[in-house]
Amino acid sequence: MVLGEIPTTRVPGRLQQSPGHLIRVAQQVHTRLWSEHVGAELTAPQFAVLLTLALEPGADQRTVGERASLDKATMAEMVARLVRRGLVLRRRDPADGRRKLLALSQNGAQAVREATGGVVRVQRTLFEPLAPEEQLELVRVLAKIARLEPAAVAALTDARPLLDAQRAVGYLIRVGQQVHTKLWSEYIGSDLTAPQYAVLDALETEPGADQRTVGELASLDKATMAEMVSRLVRRGLVLRRRDPSDGRRNLLSLSPTGQELLHSSAAAVAQVQRLLLSPLEEVDHEKALTLLAKAARLEPVA
């Protein structure tokens, strides 16, 4: 495999129609590319904060958090970490002691400069499966799914380079995933997560499949899949047995309880997917799914 190449994987037909699943897998692709081209010293959300400060030096902490799409608690923890690392300077606003004003340190500015080339490579590689016109369309689609203001959506599709945080497709994928997570929590709750639903759905598509295959269909790595299956088995949602022809393989199937939960959740899951795409015109939904699947390197199960 060529360095930087992300393999295409299969996805069951119903998950192919799930924008939340496609966005989650696209986020996994972005994370893998980020690790390869940027490294572990600076995460994508941290880069978004630093880049925001490079563009808006002296901004207050709340504003920077909004620009980087980070909630208050996450932003506070991240800023404290960046301050300890000497990348960000923090001081009280003399006009309002409750506000914290932020600025890049010299080391922070250098970190942005050093990371920018890798970040651009991440965005370009993420875009590789799409034609140039599809790249712009994907940005427009993701910006709408991320609930950006119309003016911001228009700005994202102009001719300027993808440099600031909100112009980076990885940023838009992350915010789109945040929107999906919020909708899932509201309409489905915490008893069944989106990745767990993907596993149950994959098992209905391919009953009796081995654990590795189901993990691939649900787009879960080996360790995550093993932990999740153990949890689903304990809850009585999945049945697991050794393959009689190969004792190293686990064969999985839905229990009656698991099948009932899958079916009873289907309407709420469909509602979440509809709401996720609701900022788009209905005629654009199919195109959006196609673009997201390309970015996620997914192909439907035959």
Side-chain angles (χ1 to χ4, degrees):
M1 182 180 298
V2 178
L3 184 64
E5 182 181 349
I6 303 293
T8 300
T9 55
R10 299 185 306 152
V11 61
R14 285 184 300 202
L15 291 180
Q16 184 82 2
Q17 298 300 310
S18 167
H21 179 77
L22 300 179
I23 289 172
R24 176 173 68 84
V25 182
Q27 173 69 8
Q28 292 173 349
V29 172
H30 179 263
T31 298
R32 179 173 172 178
L33 290 171
W34 189 278
S35 176
E36 179 179 341
H37 293 293
V38 183
E41 289 298 312
L42 196 65
T43 67
Q46 287 172 346
F47 180 79
V49 168
L50 297 183
L51 193 51
T52 298
L53 287 174
L55 297 167
E56 300 183 40
D60 67 274
Q61 185 166 309
R62 180 186 60 80
T63 298
V64 176
E66 289 174 355
R67 299 280 193 272
S69 291
L70 297 167
D71 62 58
K72 185 177 179 180
T74 303
M75 181 62 184
E77 181 182 350
M78 183 178 295
V79 167
R81 188 177 298 118
L82 292 172
V83 168
R84 288 196 298 270
R85 290 176 59 187
L87 301 178
V88 168
L89 305 173
R90 178 176 55 189
R91 65 186 179 91
R92 292 287 180 182
D93 184 348
D96 183 350
R98 296 169 299 178
R99 293 206 318 162
K100 296 174 183 176
L101 304 181
L102 306 177
L104 287 180
S105 67
Q106 288 186 345
N107 287 340
Q110 181 178 350
V112 171
R113 289 193 296 271
E114 291 176 349
T116 296
V119 173
V120 171
R121 287 192 292 274
V122 170
Q123 310 310 323
R124 288 176 177 167
T125 307
L126 195 57
F127 268 148
E128 279 180 355
L130 295 97
E133 63 275 10
E134 290 179 322
Q135 295 174 9
L136 283 175
E137 185 65 16
L138 177 62
V139 170
R140 185 185 70 83
V141 163
L142 284 170
K144 288 191 173 184
I145 288 174
R147 274 54 175 177
L148 297 191
E149 294 296 327
V153 175
L156 285 166
T157 53
D158 67 18
R160 290 180 297 165
L162 290 170
L163 288 179
D164 65 79
Q166 290 194 345
R167 300 175 65 77
V169 65
Y171 166 86
L172 295 174
I173 288 171
R174 175 170 65 84
V175 181
Q177 188 175 21
Q178 290 173 349
V179 173
H180 178 258
T181 299
K182 184 176 180 179
L183 290 170
W184 190 280
S185 176
E186 180 178 351
Y187 287 90
I188 297 159
S190 58
D191 284 342
L192 183 66
T193 67
Q196 288 172 346
Y197 181 86
V199 168
L200 300 185
D201 186 83
L203 279 174
E204 186 165 69
T205 302
E206 296 197 15
D210 66 274
Q211 186 166 308
R212 179 186 61 80
T213 298
V214 177
E216 291 175 353
L217 293 172
S219 298
L220 296 167
D221 62 59
K222 185 177 179 181
T224 303
M225 182 63 184
E227 181 182 351
M228 184 176 296
V229 167
S230 295
R231 188 176 298 117
L232 293 173
V233 168
R234 289 195 299 269
R235 291 179 59 189
L237 302 176
V238 167
L239 304 174
R240 178 175 55 189
R241 65 185 179 91
R242 290 290 183 183
D243 184 345
S245 63
D246 184 350
R248 297 169 300 178
R249 294 204 315 167
N250 289 323
L251 303 182
L252 307 177
S253 59
L254 283 177
S255 70
T257 304
Q259 190 166 48
E260 180 182 353
L261 179 60
L262 178 68
H263 292 169
S264 65
S265 303
V269 171
Q271 174 73 347
V272 167
Q273 308 314 318
R274 284 193 295 270
L275 290 172
L276 190 60
L277 292 181
S278 61
L280 301 173
E281 297 291 337
E282 192 166 349
V283 294
D284 292 332
H285 287 190
E286 197 62 37
K287 182 189 296 183
L289 293 172
T290 299
L291 294 172
L292 289 170
K294 285 186 176 184
R297 275 66 169 179
L298 292 176
E299 60 183 20
V301 174

